[in-house]
Amino acid sequence: MTPPQPNSIDPRAELEAIFAREQGVSYENPGYDMPRRSERKRSFTPHIANSGVTEVDLIEQAKSHAPSHEQSRYEHVKQVAVISMYVNRLRDQALSGARW
Amino acid sequence: MAGFFKRMMAGSSVFRITSKTTRRELIQRESEIGGHLFGPVPVGHHRQFFNLDPVTWIWYEEWKDGKGKVQSKTTRYEVHENGILKVQEGAPYYFIEGQELANLLTATRMYYERVARDIYNFDAASGKPLAV
């Protein structure tokens, strides 16, 4: 599989995109050229965003169907996903003013 | 000397989360910590490594070449249900595996432990807040 190339992957633009969303600017119509994810990523992220299903759930599901020689790789992927979730949880809690 | 102190302060743990702190500021602060996870940054280089959202990690490196022109390279790691997709401009995408995947996992673990402690006052190992 060879996914399409992005228009740009400038991290500063990524940060600008976050800032724009915080200001209420639409993600789909940010008003400037937004760096794009791979097409495949864009296609499934909104689906899970509204379903309550996390990336970790999806990885676990894929892992359950993967051959034995792929189990270790899936486990690593799952751990990265879990850590990503933890980092974002910390951020969300800090922004919401929640105390541990 | 004053300039040196100012720079030190900017990179120190003086950062405080307030009700006006934005997600952007948190990520910016995290990226400063992330950029130093892999040892000293070469003189003249600027490095950032950060988590952008639940499914994206970014590595960014900027430096000046022999002619003084600024060069940069960005790598994005996307978490998909069947692997971590490595995305670099001008290069084919591929799902990382083996040592490369293990290295990324180690980096993300270190990142989480460091930002939890230094920014969010949280002990990742115990899952409890640090004593203030």
Side-chain angles (χ1 to χ4, degrees):
Chain A
M1 184 183 78
T2 306
Q5 293 293 313
N7 292 339
S8 166
I9 46 175
D10 181 352
R12 292 174 184 169
E14 299 274 10
L15 287 174
E16 289 303 322
I18 289 173
F19 182 62
R21 290 204 293 279
E22 287 191 338
Q23 300 300 311
V25 178
S26 164
Y27 181 85
E28 294 303 324
N29 184 20
Y32 55 88
D33 290 336
M34 236 241 338
R36 299 174 63 181
R37 289 181 181 281
S38 62
E39 292 301 324
R40 187 171 168 283
K41 188 69 194 172
R42 284 158 57 87
S43 67
F44 84 79
T45 299
H47 164 68
I48 65 167
N50 297 322
S51 67
V53 177
T54 67
E55 294 288 340
V56 179
D57 296 329
L58 293 175
I59 294 164
E60 190 61 56
Q61 191 177 16
K63 185 185 174 201
S64 69
H65 295 101
S68 58
H69 71 274
E70 286 272 49
Q71 290 297 312
S72 173
R73 185 179 73 84
Y74 272 96
E75 183 57 31
H76 279 58
V77 172
K78 191 178 88 173
Q79 289 181 34
V80 171
V82 168
I83 291 168
S84 303
M85 195 172 69
Y86 285 173
V87 170
N88 281 269
R89 188 178 296 168
L90 283 176
R91 222 181 263 156
D92 290 342
Q93 287 176 328
L95 289 170
S96 69
R99 291 291 169 262
W100 324 116
Chain B
M1 188 65 184
F4 172 76
F5 181 71
K6 195 174 178 181
R7 285 195 297 277
M8 287 295 289
M9 292 295 285
S12 73
S13 58
V14 168
F15 180 81
R16 290 280 183 272
I17 298 172
T18 71
S19 59
K20 293 182 179 177
T21 301
T22 64
R23 186 176 301 275
R24 183 192 200 194
E25 289 169 337
L26 291 176
I27 294 175
Q28 183 62 47
R29 179 64 178 145
E30 289 177 22
S31 75
E32 292 165 10
I33 292 173
H36 289 87
L37 286 178
F38 310 95
V41 179
V43 175
H45 282 231
H46 174 65
R47 178 185 298 160
Q48 290 181 314
F49 176 70
F50 59 95
N51 172 270
L52 179 66
D53 59 37
V55 292
T56 314
W57 291 81
I58 304 278
W59 172 291
Y60 176 75
E61 185 120 6
E62 186 179 280
W63 69 96
K64 286 186 179 177
D65 64 16
K67 296 178 180 176
K69 187 179 177 184
V70 176
Q71 303 286 341
S72 67
K73 189 170 189 176
T74 304
T75 304
R76 178 158 61 205
Y77 297 94
E78 297 181 359
V79 179
H80 291 244
E81 75 270 31
N82 57 339
I84 307 287
L85 189 64
K86 183 176 181 178
V87 180
Q88 283 182 321
E89 204 161 10
Y93 297 2
Y94 65 93
F95 287 103
I96 60 173
E97 54 186 34
Q99 194 59 50
E100 188 173 16
L101 178 56
N103 289 343
L104 178 67
L105 175 57
T106 301
T108 58
R109 278 183 180 149
M110 290 169 62
Y111 179 97
Y112 173 53
E113 290 170 5
R114 284 289 309 278
V115 302
R117 185 187 68 202
D118 295 352
I119 299 177
Y120 302 106
N121 204 35
F122 187 82
D123 180 32
S126 67
K128 294 179 180 175
L130 291 167
V132 180

